[in-house]
Amino acid sequence: MPDARGHFGPYGGRYVAETLMPALLELEAAYNDARRDPLFHESFQRLLHDYAGRPTPLYKARRLSAHCGGALIYLKREDLAHTGAHKINNTLGQVLLAQRMGKTKVIAETGAGQHGVATATAAALFGMECRVFMGTEDVKRQAPNVRRMELLGAQVIPVASGTGTLKDAMNEAMRYWVSAVRDTFYVIGSVAGPHPYPTMVRDFQRVIGDEARRQILDREGRLPQALIACVGGGSNAMGLFYPFLQDPVAMIGVEAAGKGIETGKHAATLGAGSLGVLHGSKSYVLQDGHGQILEAHSISAGLDYPGVGPEHAWLKDSGRARYVSVTDEEALEAFRTLSVLEGIIPALESAHAVAHAMKEAAQGSPDDILIVNLSGRGDKDLGIVFKDL
Amino acid sequence: MRRLQQVFQTLKDKNEGALVGFVTAGDPNPETSIGLLRAMTDAGVDILELGVPFSDPTADGPVIQRSSARALSHGMTLEKTLDMCRTLRQWSDIPVVIFSYYNPILAMGGARFYEHSVRCGADAVLVVDLPPEESKEFLDQWSGNHLDFIRLVAPTTPQDRMAAIASDASGFLYLVSMTGVTGSAGLNLQEVSATAARLKQVSSLPVCVGFGISQPEHVRAVCRTADGAVVGSAFERLIEENLTAPDLPERLGRYVQTLKAATRI
């Protein structure tokens, strides 16, 4: 748990303009109240079960494991959750909370569009007005998700400033929120942003790790050697890791090395970033020596972010988790391999985790078990992949 | 007496409000920017807010965002912003407030920021994304007491929080006139006046009102209920519309004069 002001060690906190402080304090109070309320839990669990389709399976990937020749790989199938990614867990939780707080409008930012789709979905379910901010570059890269959001009744607002990616969409969502803070709930899509978002999003996503832990104990009667998940902002990884924190299980977060860390065109914030403040919290960020935020690069729109959740920064510093990176090319290769060997087309984000799992598995023994979070499905990425393969 | 305190005292004696002028340091480029500072001080601006360009200015509207981008494209940094303050000291004793987001300061280091600011003749700092809850680590690194720390109060700030913020502030209190980003339209002068009055109940510090102020009548109305008006996006808009005009400094100077005249109540 973070301290009272939302700090994980030196990370986290609330670095926002004064206009937003009362809203964050109100949100924190409302969330603390909700998390202690059995009725809120019951409503949330029912939504996850009946609407999102949980629990998602833990699937033993036999052919992929055999191909790597080493450890046994299990896939946590978040791609099978409603809307095709883990994002739905968090948006159902936040929109349920928004309703409890009497808010009538929600906004969100999105990179790959998965969080936007999940927010638009939850907003439709609860009859709330929804605006989604999305960089113009991502609007192009993720056209099918833009259509889905619009079909769900959301208004997609293209953001042309900066590089037109997730960072800029988040800037614009924060600007809009400053103006509309009285009746609007900001649904943040990752374990980033000001306190209480990193904690709250982790809590809504911990269902991934809770299920995976129970499922692997049922299936194998023991815990895995390692958990592997991709990290952009880091919500799917945090959700998988958190319930295992006290267990003797290795945790590996996989960042996007893009065209290679040495080229500067990457999104490996924990691997190559430094201490900074971005989007309301203190964490690792990609920046120059003068504190200006640098552009991130990844073939995967969902990982294309120069910041990372503060709890990951803390897990890295404390040595509890390890962070590695894989390139665009390696992710594409894993994308193809998983499709061919298992009949599962992963999101490009998840393909980063799969790529590293394949390396890790090859070095492991047949007694080792790896759980890889398959955070989302890859339909949305076909345009990009067909262009690049 | 500190420069800020002195200015507010002098203006009070003359029954005038303060015109606080914001410009982004290094916009549109560092050489022109120095000329603009000169034009503003010559035209009688009372307090200068020197904006440190930042790549991700989430509290600012499009006009100031673009001014930041222009300055950054010419290699502007926090260090160079402070150097501009030192240059300005060659001709002016005007109080200078360094206006920044926290990340450039964090990159420089709180202790170095303090020392360099004082050495360059800055009087105060306003860090837009550093609320009271997070400002201790920064202020603890200051080796002296030569800088004022300007704090923000918003229309959403409840009364008890206002009091807590005011108790920690120095120089003046910056009252954000509306829930919105800089340069937004929709200034509600009645609401501003009510909030300023509430703020005056909990603090004896001067109160300056900013966001959405661009016209002499705004300045006049604000100066009736508060101690000063902050104008930023309006100046940046003029700069942006006259980027290549050779008489840009004169135009900016005339605008400053018009607004300054409206502070005499």
Side-chain angles (χ1 to χ4, degrees), chain B residues 185-209:
Chain B
L187 180 67
N188 181 338
L189 289 165
Q190 272 184 337
E191 199 184 318
V192 170
S193 165
T195 320
R198 282 204 290 137
L199 191 50
K200 287 278 183 188
Q201 282 170 15
V202 298
S203 172
S204 54
L205 279 174
V207 173
C208 294
V209 177

Side-chain angles (χ1 to χ4, degrees), chain A residues 117-172:
Chain A
V117 167
T119 305
T121 299
L125 181 66
F126 283 82
M128 287 198 193
E129 202 178 292
C130 176
R131 279 191 176 82
V132 181
F133 297 85
M134 190 170 186
T136 46
E137 188 55 33
D138 290 336
V139 166
K140 266 187 272 170
R141 286 198 284 189
Q142 305 288 344
N145 272 341
V146 174
R147 309 260 153 66
R148 286 167 80 193
M149 284 184 266
E150 287 171 347
L151 188 61
L152 291 160
Q155 188 187 353
V156 178
I157 300 168
V159 177
S161 60
T163 48
T165 58
L166 182 54
K167 167 180 91 114
D168 309 295
M170 198 151 175
N171 286 341
E172 209 55 40

Side-chain angles (χ1 to χ4, degrees), chain B residues 61-121:
Chain B
V63 176
I64 291 182
Q65 278 180 59
R66 289 194 295 268
S67 76
S68 251
R70 281 192 297 271
L72 288 174
S73 73
H74 288 95
M76 205 58 202
T77 63
L78 170 57
E79 186 107 31
K80 290 178 183 171
T81 303
L82 295 175
D83 290 345
M84 279 181 74
C85 180
R86 178 157 48 195
T87 305
L88 173 141
R89 284 286 166 246
Q90 292 168 7
W91 75 78
S92 177
D93 264 336
I94 188 175
V96 174
V97 179
I98 303 298
F99 178 102
S100 187
Y101 287 82
Y102 190 40
N103 203 51
I105 293 178
L106 192 62
M108 177 180 271
R112 247 197 87 212
F113 172 82
Y114 175 83
E115 283 152 28
H116 201 41
S117 297
V118 172
R119 200 177 313 126
C120 291

